[in-house]
Amino acid sequence: MVNHGVYDNNIILDLTLSSSMLQHNTTKKPCNIPNFDPSLTLALSGDHGITKKKHACDHGGLYRQDSGSGGGGGGGSSFISVASVCVKRERKVKSEVISTTSEVEEEEDDDDDNSLNGRKKLRLTKAQSSLLEEAFKHHSSLNPQKQKQELARELKLRPRQVEVWFQNRRARTKLKQTEVDYEYLKKCCETLKEENTRLHKELQELKALKQSTQPPYMQLPATTLTMCPSCKRIGDTTSSANTRPFSITPKPHFFNPFNNPSAAC
DNA sequence: GGTATTTAGATAGTTACATCA
DNA sequence: CCTGATGTAACTATCTAAATA
């Protein structure tokens, strides 16, 4: 009840827009007009910055229509002024108008629903979430438009909401997968480092052992022992690859994610 | 058949609200 | 109560592929 005056203005404006949208057309996705989301006060929701570039058909177009032929700059500027006033308030308003998420259930099915019931941020009920999850398990995207409509009807949500939910869900899945991948690679990296250290150590030990057990005249000249820079294996420049002076047996269970030893080897 | 335009759906990034410790 | 962190619904911008003119 407080502040209602201001909010009312807002709502009236929204409704105006919506009706013009109805006349306007259409199903242009980029415009986000088609579904008439209650939250769809695109022109008003400058909370994302009115300065952002829009599609040609976006607000500019709508407002031009509203404000007559004005077109061009005129339309744009009036749009900005209106928008900038209303922007942030809008969400706030909505959050005060509706109090519970269950109200969602009262919403009409999508497209013809331009009732701009101010809308609090929606929280899906458990039932809704689990149904969506179930659908997501089967298909991570809403293949046919029909499926979206059906789900929406079933959940008593607007198709746009279902669509957004799937978008966000895919993003979450991807993010989680990225985290998992990151952890996995991190572990691999650590393992590789350990392995590398261990091999270095082993090499040093073998070198030392060899030096101490061989008489000086039998010791190999330093040039005959070489180490591959990428795989760190010891090789003998004078012998073939499979007759190395020291055979370093790879760890049988070690998984190397970069499964190709260097081309040089 | 090649080209331009429209449309619908996807992703990435962001914002703002709700909730909880 | 206040506050910061977190989760998530909703948004914008952009890209792409299919359909259509």
Side-chain angles (χ1 to χ4, degrees), chain A residues 75-191:
Chain A
S77 61
S78 71
F79 152 50
I80 287 174
S81 62
V82 173
S84 55
V85 173
C86 305
V87 176
K88 283 219 168 173
R89 226 180 292 141
E90 195 191 5
R91 285 191 176 192
K92 207 172 180 182
V93 177
K94 290 174 176 175
S95 69
E96 286 172 15
V97 176
I98 287 188
S99 51
T100 67
T101 59
S102 61
E103 236 101 55
V104 167
E105 294 171 3
E106 293 170 7
E107 290 183 7
E108 295 297 325
D109 195 305
D110 190 34
D111 291 331
D112 49 352
D113 173 30
N114 60 346
S115 66
L116 291 160
N117 310 331
R119 181 166 36 90
K120 195 176 190 172
K121 178 172 172 141
L122 168 76
R123 294 306 280 206
L124 298 172
T125 65
K126 279 199 172 168
Q128 286 171 321
S129 296
S130 54
L131 218 158
L132 284 165
E133 286 290 347
E134 203 53 42
F136 186 80
K137 263 187 217 165
H138 286 108
H139 242 33
S140 63
S141 55
L142 293 160
N143 287 354
Q145 180 82 4
K146 225 179 172 184
Q147 194 190 351
K148 182 165 75 180
Q149 302 282 354
E150 258 175 44
L151 256 176
R153 195 168 23 250
E154 206 170 332
L155 293 162
K156 297 191 166 99
L157 294 172
R158 279 165 286 116
R160 170 68 181 153
Q161 288 177 297
V162 174
E163 183 183 316
V164 166
W165 187 90
F166 269 78
Q167 283 169 5
N168 287 322
R169 186 66 178 75
R170 281 193 295 272
R172 263 175 259 142
T173 303
K174 191 176 178 185
L175 184 67
K176 263 189 187 163
Q177 187 55 50
T178 304
E179 283 170 7
V180 169
D181 290 348
Y182 169 74
E183 285 304 321
Y184 176 72
L185 287 172
K186 204 168 117 186
K187 263 194 182 149
C188 286
C189 185
E190 279 163 14
T191 313

Side-chain angles (χ1 to χ4, degrees), chain A residues 6 9 12 23-24 27 31 53 57 61 92 94 99 112 116 127 131 148 195 215 239 242-243 254 263:
Chain A
V6 179
N9 285 343
I12 288 166
Q23 298 164 6
H24 193 258
T27 50
C31 306
K53 205 175 107 194
C57 58
K92 207 172 180 182
K94 290 174 176 175
S99 51
D112 49 352
L116 291 160
L131 218 158
K148 182 165 75 180
E195 179 73 357
S239 61
N242 51 0
T243 57
F254 174 68

Side-chain angles (χ1 to χ4, degrees), chain A residues 52-63:
Chain A
K52 278 186 180 173
K53 205 175 107 194
K54 305 284 184 190
H55 289 271
C57 58
D58 248 334
H59 321 138
L62 289 172
Y63 275 86

